[in-house]
Amino acid sequence: MLFQDNSPHRRAVMRALSLFTAWGGLIFCVLNMMRGLHWLAAIEFFAAMAAVFAYYRMANTQRLLAWSVGFILCFYSIMMIALLVPNTSPTIFVWVFLLPLISYLTLGSRLGLRFTAVYVFFAVVAFYLRVEMEIGILTLSSSFNVILCVALIWVFSHLYEINRERSQQALMKMASQDSLTGLNNRLRLTEIFQREIQVAKRNEIALSLLLIDVDHFKGVNDRYGHLLGDRVLQGLADLIRCHSRQTDYGFRVGGEEFCLILSGADLNSASKVAEALRESIKAESFQLDGESVFVTVSIGVAEYGNDGKDLDGLYRVADKRLYEAKTLGRNCVVKDGFARTLDMRSASASH
């Protein structure tokens, strides 16, 4: 299931839990001092101070999941110790009912399930040990009430979190994916580009960007209708996927404009990919209800570093070269101001 390490939802829950733990730890510290449980009071005092530190640290950390796991481990472990210690209040066992809720809210469905299973088991064992030590006998109805209540909260928490994550995943997919072609949309371009730049720098590899525009696409819509026009766009998206590796990312950035990020490809390698893509599009027949149409594309190529130090600069250069491809007769690839991968007279003859 989807788990966003740094999601605002989980960050807010963890900060609220740490603040609550700080205040609760101080209160229980005082109460246990009054009961003579000085060592437990000391543990709760240090836990409260750690929770205060965590409250401020989790406001900005990029490792929220690691902090959450560490915090929950400490929080639950102290709870288990308190459950087993004689002379603590018998009502301390009501905290067990919060285990599933806290686990799923802070750790997601997978980790939440594991933490709940482990600590609920220990809590049930501690409950029976305490009852045997202090009461001596536990009725069947009492056992059933406790187990059933914990189980129901666990099941409801699990079902809620599973469905919440699925809904969030669907919304994220809708927000980041072009509904017609299934490619990434322009909203994800910046996010993926920044991530791939970090990968390229870390591995010392090249990265290039292709801008692809369908030639005379308005004429296709005017002559054949928008349904066939949509079929052309979907077919182009399929061809872009065919010419992409697992490390490449395709986008629909405009009506008939596409973008392709090529990881590990310098200007010459990216130009070869662009030329192969242009040739396959030129040879493809797009069909709908007996109508068929052939289209061509113009492509501008730019390499990170030589042509731009950020997305805006790189995109601007690729767009300039795309415009140059249009002015030079369309159906061609332009990778710089002079070298082109298609003889322009051949391009003109094809029109």
Side-chain angles (χ1 to χ4, degrees):
M1 286 298 165
L2 178 70
F3 185 91
Q4 284 188 290
D5 192 352
N6 299 315
S7 69
H9 159 73
R10 300 199 187 280
R11 192 180 299 276
V13 171
M14 282 305 305
R15 295 195 77 206
L17 179 62
S18 59
L19 190 62
F20 180 82
T21 302
W23 283 105
L26 291 174
I27 293 171
F28 283 113
C29 173
V30 173
L31 292 175
N32 285 316
M33 285 288 290
M34 294 171 62
R35 292 193 182 100
L37 299 171
H38 301 295
W39 66 272
L40 183 57
I43 291 176
E44 289 170 334
F45 175 78
F46 285 113
M49 295 301 98
V52 171
F53 176 75
Y55 173 79
Y56 290 103
R57 187 68 180 87
M58 284 190 284
N60 300 308
T61 181
Q62 295 301 307
R63 297 176 58 83
L64 183 61
L65 179 57
W67 274 89
S68 300
V69 169
F71 187 93
I72 295 300
L73 279 172
C74 295
F75 182 79
Y76 285 2
S77 297
I78 292 172
M79 185 190 300
M80 295 302 110
I81 293 171
L83 291 178
L84 285 168
V85 173
N87 301 324
T88 55
S89 172
T91 57
I92 194 172
F93 284 97
V94 300
W95 288 92
V96 175
F97 298 120
L98 287 177
L99 286 174
L101 181 62
I102 294 174
S103 298
Y104 283 99
L105 282 176
T106 58
L107 302 176
S109 60
R110 288 181 177 176
L111 278 176
L113 175 62
R114 294 167 186 169
F115 270 69
T116 300
V118 170
Y119 281 98
V120 163
F121 171 78
F122 283 121
V124 170
V125 171
F127 176 72
Y128 277 95
L129 290 175
R130 279 287 299 274
V131 168
E132 286 295 324
M133 287 188 295
E134 297 179 9
I135 301 177
I137 189 170
L138 184 66
T139 65
L140 182 61
S141 61
S142 299
S143 302
F144 183 74
N145 282 333
V146 172
I147 294 172
L148 181 61
C149 190
V150 173
L152 283 174
I153 296 174
W154 185 351
V155 169
F156 292 150
S157 298
H158 186 78
L159 291 176
Y160 170 80
E161 185 61 22
I162 288 287
N163 284 285
R164 191 198 67 79
E165 289 179 352
R166 286 175 178 170
S167 297
Q168 183 182 2
Q169 195 171 34
L171 288 173
M172 289 180 63
K173 186 175 181 180
M174 289 173 60
S176 62
Q177 189 178 77
D178 178 60
S179 58
L180 178 64
T181 63
L183 295 175
N184 297 299
N185 61 21
R186 190 158 192 160
L187 292 175
R188 291 211 67 198
L189 180 57
T190 301
E191 172 196 343
I192 292 177
F193 181 83
Q194 294 301 332
R195 186 180 69 208
E196 291 304 302
I197 283 301
Q198 297 303 316
V199 172
K201 289 179 178 178
R202 185 167 59 249
N203 298 329
E204 298 182 347
I205 58 176
L207 184 140
S208 295
L209 182 144
L210 310 184
L211 276 187
I212 307 152
D213 190 84
V214 184
D215 298 327
H216 302 298
F217 186 70
K218 184 178 183 300
V220 173
N221 280 333
D222 290 344
R223 181 175 178 181
Y224 298 99
H226 288 277
L227 287 178
L228 185 52
D230 288 347
R231 177 67 192 91
V232 169
L233 297 177
Q234 291 169 338
L236 289 177
D238 292 338
L239 290 173
I240 288 173
R241 292 188 191 92
C242 288
H243 287 269
S244 302
R245 303 159 301 171
Q246 288 187 335
T247 55
D248 300 332
Y249 293 90
F251 306 82
R252 184 186 177 199
V253 293
E256 67 271 18
E257 190 169 294
F258 298 84
C259 175
L260 189 58
I261 292 178
L262 300 174
S263 178
D266 60 14
L267 192 65
N268 288 328
S269 298
S271 298
K272 292 178 182 178
V273 173
E275 181 63 18
L277 177 61
R278 183 196 67 79
E279 286 283 359
S280 65
I281 292 173
K282 179 184 176 183
E284 184 73 17
S285 173
F286 301 97
Q287 300 179 354
L288 179 71
D289 296 335
E291 295 280 2
S292 62
V293 62
F294 290 87
V295 299
T296 60
V297 294
S298 300
I299 304 177
V301 187
E303 181 184 358
Y304 175 76
N306 294 325
D307 295 319
K309 300 296 185 181
D310 54 29
L311 177 60
D312 289 341
L314 197 64
Y315 197 97
R316 191 161 46 246
V317 171
D319 192 48
K320 180 180 178 182
R321 291 171 181 171
L322 172 61
Y323 179 77
E324 185 179 356
K326 293 286 189 182
T327 60
L328 291 172
R330 296 181 171 84
N331 186 28
C332 64
V333 175
V334 174
K335 65 177 182 179
D336 55 45
F338 303 98
R340 302 179 182 88
T341 61
L342 182 70
D343 184 280
M344 300 318 305
R345 289 174 296 180
S346 299
S348 300
S350 67
H351 283 69

